[in-house]
Amino acid sequence: MSIKKKIPILFTILVLLILIANNMHHFFRAKNSLLENYDREISLLAQQVSYQVENAKNGSQYVENIVGRELRTASIAIQNNLPPRHEDVTNEQLVALAKELNISHITLLAKTEDDIVGVKSSDPHEIGLSTKEWGYWYDAFQQLFARKPVTVEEGLTLKDYWSGPIEIASSNPDHTDKWGYYYDGTTNYIIDPYFRDNEILEYEERFGPTNIMEQVTNQLEGVLELTVFNPDSFGNEELEVHLNGNSFIRISEQPIWYGSYDYENTAKDQKYIQSALATNEVKSYNEIINGKDVRKAFVPINEQNDESYVIGFVYDNTMIDRELNKELKAYLFSSLVFMIVVLCFSFIFSNSITKPIARIVDHVNEIAQGKFGKMLTLNRKDELGHLVANVNELSRDLKTYVDDLKSSQEVIKFQAYHDPLTSLPNRRFIQEKLSDLINVANQNNHVIGVIFMDIDRFKHINDSMGHKTGDLLIKLISERIKELLTDYNCVVSRQGGDEFIILTENLSEEQVKEMTNKLILHVRKPFDLGEREIYVGSSCGISFYPHHTTNMDQLIINADMAMYAAKKQGGNRFVVYNPNESNVSLERIEIEASLRKAIEDEVLDVYYQPKMNAASGKIIGAEALVRWNDVKLGFVSPAVFIPIAEDSGLIQPLFEFVLRKAMIQMKEWNDLLDEKLTVSVNVSAVQFMEARNLVDCVKIKLNDTQFPPELLELEITESALLNNMSETIEALEEFNQLGVSISVDDFGTGYSSLSYLQKLPINTLKIDQSFIKSIGENGNNSEIAEGIINLARSLKLDIIAEGVEEEHQKQYLIRNGCHLMQGYLFSKPLEANEFHKLLVQNI
Ligand code: C2E
Ligand code: MG
Ligand code: MG
């Protein structure tokens, strides 16, 4: 069940319980107070009734006394009309006299021996009536006869006269009489006139409390009966007197003085009457009497001077119930109204709680569904307001957390698929991409080109300039590649080191080749490394899908092999994979092993490239360049195996081989020439690590071959000058002393400072071919070449340009005072015989 329903139900149940408890409490309280009220009312009524009774009693006493006096007057009248002896009086005389005097009857009492007896009477029942048993009445008669004032407590005493209280006639208990007794000593009898029944009771009826009691009974709703009990006699059965052969209860002994006693319950009522009187408290009980549910209450009236009595009330209990029911109904109605109000209020209240809770729950559900960062506004300052603020905070935190997570996931994903240095996609990326491209290509018959690119002599650059510069250069190269490839539909990645793979999609084989060519040229442009510029070549291998293979891995291996082929051809070029050429991947170890063997077997060859005086067109010398055409590997470019030789310690034996062969060869040619030619041999930078060894070796070879040292030139790269400096300088100085010239090869690609160069015992600067190649037809891009020429001039060093391929380059160099040149324009490096032929021609 929802809280929204629970709260009103709970409230309602609670209120219902409270109301039931309250109603019950009120019901019983009301009942009690109603009863108390009734009892109080009864007390008041009783008081009122008691006044009436008292009044009536007093009134009737008064009337009775008047009647008593009236009877005395009548007695005197009777005496005057009768003879003094009763023996002379007739009953008839009495009847007539009574009639005349308007009296009910007249009796004459006379003394007998031990009694006072009715001797003559208008009432035949009275004749012969003994009074001996009559108690104080008899005492009163005796006192009258004795002519003493009557001293009995009851009745009215006057001179020679006494009037008894109204009493049942013992001669005839069906009647109630008021008697007067007169004796003044002139007669032998007491004159006894009396009023009977109505004549007496009329007063009682007219002035007594019965009327008032009836009025009260009729007027007061629910009062069924009102009774004035005589507590002395009520329920007491032995009160009957037996006089003159009759049985009756004396007036004063009547159990009920006034009112009726229809709802009889004598035994119980007697107990209550006694108890009420004893405690002087109202006593009441409920019972069903005469088939009616009644409540009886007994109110004691304790008269100080007079006799006490008890007033009994009989109430209709159903009326009390009716009252109570009425009360209950009123309560229930007000409760109902209250309940409705509570229900409404609790609905509003529960709504005010559950509605925002429902909103919060929805909000939290949304958060649980991942909708972070959503805010909920709830203008409350209570706990719910705090809760919403916290939930919002949580949502915000989760959003930040998830955003962070997403971005870090993106970073991780990026890192997983990208190269940290260049931010280019990495090997993993390219493999997945290639697989995707193959799927697309299969559906659309596209051609995929895989270009494997490797920077020429990057190791050399890295070693000589340091890794930092190497990294910077790789970054710049990657930007160059990206720059050019923006126009093409392709993806570029860095495989590691100086290797890049480019995938082309839906480009024809011709377009790919054209693009690769442009790429190599673009990479070939100078790179600005802050203080200096550098030129790099690159070798690219291309393989096509599905032309060369449909195997993804093989596709990359093919491109790699083609790249090696490009390297073998001197680098700075591209080669398309040719399945007929070699299926063998040229592994470094394989090359190293083969090279070692080639050196041992002396199967390496030395080619000679002429150095020209371009102004005169004369050959002035030759650069010895090693060539290796392996039986198994085929032609391998020095650009490929020289770095391997440098790494594997083979460079020194290789050098010795080339030096010896070149000196012997040149000596042979020089023997034929008038103007002797110089021979230049390349020395690797690593050889200066063991400078001593190098110097000794050169000395030995010079000695062995008897080659004039002044005709020997050693070409060392600029970077060699920078490593192991003191020893290098020492070695150079020794060479200098020997007369061996030193030429700084590939000059301009390193970073030699002017002051440093000045200190070195060097003879020639050899402008790197990249600066020559860049010289355009109208002399543009020639600044570096020009700068180097000027530098050489100022340092008083010889200058030679290598890599001269075009006539305009030659012309430019001549114009700028660089007459010595080397390059394809004059000749490629030639096999000894070929060079010999050239020499012959040149003489
Ligand atoms: P290097 O010493 O700068 O040699 C000149 C390179 O330029 C040679 O390449 C040569 O064939 C090439 N060349 C000459 N003129 C032109 C031209 O007009 N255009 C073009 N594109 N290239 C031209 P090669 O023989 O492939 O040698 C490459 C490098 O290998 C040499 O550069 C040198 O550093 C190294 N090397 C060659 N032989 C030896 C050697 O016996 N010992 C050592 N230590 N290094 C060698
Ligand atoms: Mg060289
Ligand atoms: Mg060079």
Side-chain angles (χ1 to χ4, degrees), residues 605-609 623-627 638 658 680 682 822 829:
D605 209 351
V606 177
Y607 273 42
Y608 300 92
Q609 188 178 33
E623 180 179 0
L625 294 159
V626 69
R627 290 292 175 266
V658 175
S680 304
N682 290 287
Q822 193 182 335

Side-chain angles (χ1 to χ4, degrees), residues 457 609 623-627 637-638 642 651 654 658 682-684 687 715 745-746 769 773 802-805 822-825 829:
R457 298 198 292 158
Q609 188 178 33
E623 180 179 0
L625 294 159
V626 69
R627 290 292 175 266
S637 165
I642 293 292
I651 195 71
L654 186 137
V658 175
N682 290 287
V683 183
S684 271
Q687 290 177 262
E715 288 193 11
D745 203 355
D746 302 343
Q769 43 182 290
K773 276 192 188 132
E802 66 175 330
V804 181
E805 291 181 353
Q822 193 182 335
Y824 292 171
L825 182 65

